[in-house]
Structures are given as C-alpha cells and as structure tokens.
Amino acid sequence: MGSLSDFWRYGVVKTARKLKAAALSPVRAARGEGPVRSAYGVLMVPNWQDTTFRYCIFGTYGSDLSDLLLGQREPFVFVDIGANQGLYSLIAAQNPTCRQIIAFEPVPATHARLAANVGLNGGAERTVLHQLAIADTVGEVEISVAEGHTGTATLAGREGQGGGGGVVIHTIDAPLVDPLLAGDLPMFVKIDVEGLEAVVIAELAKTRAFARVQAIFYEVDDRWARAEAIEALLRGAGFTRFAKYGRGHHYDVLATRS
C-alpha cells in the first residue's frame, strides 16, 4: 500500500473542484427521471425524500474521504461498514487501484438501493455486498431507522431512546466477519454506524484479517461516543497516527498504522 501518509499527502485528487462544477447537475435533472449524477461523479437511484441521498447528490459530505480513496496509488481493498446507499463504495470503485469493495448495509430497503447504485456504476464485478451488520452478537435485532434520513439508522440507543425501530436486520460477530474479509491485499476501512463504532472496531480487532487493515476512517460524535476509548483500542492494535477531520462534537478520524 506504500507509505500510509500517501492517503493525505501523495497527489491527492482535488475533488473539491469537481464538487463545485458538478453541484448544479442534479438541480438540472428532473426529479424522478432515472439515475441522478452525484456531485461526487457517481450515479444514484433517485431517493429525493431521503436526507442522506440529498447529501450525497449535493456534496454535503465534503471531499475528505473521497480524496483519500481517489488518491490511493497502491492496490487495496475498501471495506465499507455502514454503506447506506453506497456513495463511498461507488467512489472507491472509480479508483482502478481499488481491487475489491466489500460493503455492509443491513437495512433491507437501503441495501436494495445500494445494490441498484452499484449496478449503475463501473466496478460491480469488484464489489461484494452483505446485507449484514457487524456487532458483538449473532442473530436478528431491530434497528431504528428515521423516516426521511436513512443515514441515522442505529443499533445504539441515543439520547434516552432505545435501538428498536421495527426494522429487523441480521448481525454477525468476529468469527463470521473474518471469512468475509479473506484475501491478501491491504485494507482501507470506513465505519459509519451511528454510535456503534467502538463495538465494530473491537470485533474487527478479533479477526485474523485485521492485520491487513492499514487505515480506518471512522465517525465520532462526542454526544454518544468516547473518542479517547476508540483511540486507545486502536493504539493497542498497532495504530499510531490519528488525523481529525472536522470540528465540533461531530467529526471523522483517520487512524493509520504508520
């Protein structure tokens, strides 16, 4: 994978300009008329009532992770945990050095959109989809899915509310995750699971495949996650560098081994 500092220092593709140039294209597209091209350059099935979809279309997520994925110059595998409708899996597939994409999205309706979006873009033959959530137990559980904002789906009770929500999903733990990550290439992992990041990382750390994980880009919200605990867990697993993206109580962190 080369020096991991490459993720943010080596010839990173300047996605910001592309976002500005492309931002008007979905505005010109008639709603409901076939696939919509996102500001990130990928096609997506229309889902205008969903906030997460609109964020994808108009470039609201910024260019931090997209730059990292497009700027990678050595062969790697992208593991998308909490893929939602697949924005970052689709972006990773644009980079020919990404030899495989492994995406986890447990909510059935969202997973169906993920699969449809993968089919609209190049790289489908390199993409493996799992309608599963990574957790510390195996079985069926209910997940909270907010109407109109699929990106807030969570198994973690927050702000006094439980994790139930009427949508049943399947969960797997480390022994079942491990064979799904089999291979020999270095892995770049993205984790966006709305408060369950520490649990997912702890399960990944139990797998043999975790030794191949060279970078983890994970979400932190200080209102329901302990950033210092996640960092301590990763340092114990050999990660030494932590770069923060964003400000305030809600931000992302890139952890790398060197």
Side-chain angles (χ1 to χ4, degrees):
M1 209 175 205
S3 172
L4 294 192
S5 61
D6 288 354
F7 278 113
W8 59 89
R9 292 195 308 186
Y10 176 170
V12 171
V13 175
K14 299 301 180 183
T15 308
R17 288 184 210 161
K18 294 181 180 179
L19 298 186
K20 184 176 181 181
L24 292 178
S25 61
V27 178
R28 293 193 295 263
R31 295 191 177 187
E33 290 187 3
V36 181
R37 188 169 298 280
S38 162
Y40 298 93
V42 299
L43 293 171
M44 302 186 76
V45 174
N47 189 19
W48 291 105
Q49 72 276 12
D50 179 49
T51 300
T52 302
F53 171 79
R54 296 195 299 272
Y55 284 176
C56 294
I57 295 303
F58 294 109
T60 306
Y61 293 115
S63 62
D64 294 330
L65 181 52
S66 57
D67 279 350
L68 293 173
L69 293 171
L70 293 173
Q72 171 64 2
R73 294 295 184 264
E74 299 295 330
F76 73 107
V77 173
F78 178 55
V79 182
D80 193 354
I81 301 174
N84 197 271
Q85 291 152 81
L87 175 64
Y88 291 109
S89 288
L90 303 179
I91 292 171
Q94 292 179 317
N95 186 342
T97 66
C98 183
R99 300 301 169 80
Q100 186 179 37
I101 300 100
I102 304 172
F104 294 84
E105 172 50 53
V107 178
T110 307
H111 185 273
R113 291 188 178 278
L114 164 65
N117 289 334
V118 168
L120 289 173
N121 295 269
E125 72 284 353
R126 290 179 282 142
T127 304
V128 180
L129 306 179
H130 298 292
Q131 192 175 310
L132 298 166
I134 298 174
D136 54 6
T137 58
V138 177
E140 294 185 347
V141 297
E142 288 188 353
I143 189 171
S144 296
V145 182
E147 184 177 355
H149 199 169
T150 57
T152 61
T154 180
L155 286 172
R158 300 191 315 214
E159 300 179 349
Q161 297 184 1
V167 178
V168 177
I169 65 169
H170 298 275
T171 63
I172 58 174
D173 61 3
L176 293 179
V177 172
D178 205 19
L180 301 182
L181 303 180
D184 54 11
L185 287 176
M187 292 189 288
F188 185 120
V189 177
K190 184 222 82 180
I191 303 174
D192 185 353
V193 289
E194 299 299 309
L196 213 68
E197 284 77 14
V199 172
V200 171
I201 290 170
E203 288 304 304
L204 289 177
K206 297 174 186 176
T207 67
R208 291 170 294 180
F210 194 66
R212 292 167 36 231
V213 176
Q214 298 298 302
I216 302 180
F217 192 91
Y218 60 94
E219 183 182 64
V220 174
D221 194 309
D222 289 331
R223 293 173 296 178
W224 47 72
R226 293 181 57 229
E228 64 276 11
I230 297 175
E231 181 173 327
L233 174 61
L234 287 169
R235 286 191 181 278
F239 288 79
T240 59
R241 299 182 63 175
F242 295 82
K244 183 178 179 180
Y245 292 82
R247 296 179 294 176
H249 62 79
H250 190 101
Y251 53 91
D252 298 301
V253 175
L254 175 68
T256 55
R257 292 190 184 272
S258 61

